[in-house]
């Protein structure tokens, strides 16, 4: 298990990209829309981990609701696994609540959200990168 | 540059360790006091990144003040670099504000905090692992 991605919600993606390019000393690697979550994203690769900046464009999506409730900042931490279904089974058996069924994230990411009440109120999730797609 | 560690502040270290052992499917790797910050820590290794749980024992330390202001959850993200002084110089030249001088973290970690107002209000920092010590 490793940290697959860590997301920060931002009000203005371009301003945030400019700042993180300064902090990280590298240019942004990918930009994508994420229509299912009502957001635009830009991301940097730091070792095995994507640092993802997320700007809501729909106030009713999960990122939009988080921005309205908490302002800019940390949004979620996603743990990379080889087998999402097996990990989800292990979590269920350990009493860790899962939030809904697996969903598709960016690229070939298949994502399972955990219930935040078990993890310090923060959103943790698990991600598997599906083979043969991007 | 990679994510060296990501810290979450908790009220009860033992309860948080138990939950994260379930989520991560691994036992906690290290426990340490951090007297300079008024905190106890427990951490897990996820690839190159330490996930650190931080329980304040001094309400006037930085973790204690964060817990009082924000409750449990994300506390900081530290970026691993080979040369902290060179990176600090680059950040200064890029207009990224640094918070105080470098300080000693856990183990052989030498840490430079950045001013949060440049990074979405969240605490980012850089960490160099010094050679020859632990």
């Amino acid at each position: 298990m490793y940290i697959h991605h860590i997301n920060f919600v931002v009000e203005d993606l371009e301003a945030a990209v400019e700042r993180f390019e300064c902090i990280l000393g590298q240019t942004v690697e990918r930009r994508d829309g994420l229509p299912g979550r009502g957001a635009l994203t830009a991301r940097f690769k730091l070792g095995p981990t994507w640092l993802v900046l997320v700007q809501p464009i729909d106030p009713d999506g999960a990122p939009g609701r988080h921005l309205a409730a908490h302002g800019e900042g940390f949004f979620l931490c996603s743990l990379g696994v080889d087998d999402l279904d097996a990990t989800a089974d292990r979590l269920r058996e350990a009493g860790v609540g899962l939030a809904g069924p697996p969903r598709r994230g960016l690229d070939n990411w298949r994502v399972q959200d955990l219930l935040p009440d078990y993890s310090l109120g923060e959103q943790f999730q698990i991600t598997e990168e599906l083979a043969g797609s991007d």
Side-chain angles (χ1 to χ4, degrees), chain A:
Chain A
M1 197 176 268
Y2 63 103
I3 297 185
H4 182 276
H5 60 281
I6 172 171
N7 290 15
F8 293 85
V9 68
V10 305
E11 289 179 354
D12 179 334
L13 194 61
E14 291 319 305
V17 163
E18 191 175 327
R19 290 186 170 203
F20 276 81
E21 285 183 338
C22 282
I23 292 171
L24 303 175
Q26 63 188 65
T27 54
V28 70
E29 189 143 344
R30 291 281 301 270
R31 294 169 182 273
D32 295 281
L34 193 54
R37 302 271 275 177
L40 302 173
T41 70
R43 53 189 153 128
F44 300 84
K45 196 77 184 274
L46 298 171
T49 302
W50 289 101
L51 189 155
V52 189
L53 302 173
V54 181
Q55 178 196 321
I57 54 175
D58 176 358
D60 296 325
R65 294 196 308 271
H66 191 277
L67 180 63
H70 304 286
E72 291 191 305
F74 177 82
F75 173 47
L76 67 81
C77 181
S78 195
L79 304 163
V81 299
D82 291 332
D83 185 333
L84 188 127
D85 292 321
T87 306
D89 286 345
R90 179 184 64 72
L91 291 170
R92 260 186 222 99
E93 285 166 20
V96 179
L98 307 183
R103 61 184 173 80
R104 192 64 177 257
L106 291 169
D107 289 348
N108 59 341
W109 305 355
R110 186 164 170 256
V111 171
Q112 172 66 62
D113 292 307
L114 311 188
L115 289 176
D117 56 356
Y118 198 81
S119 47
L120 311 170
E122 300 289 18
Q123 180 69 70
F124 274 72
Q125 59 177 216
I126 51 177
T127 294
E128 173 188 359
E129 293 201 9
L130 298 172
S133 57
D134 185 302

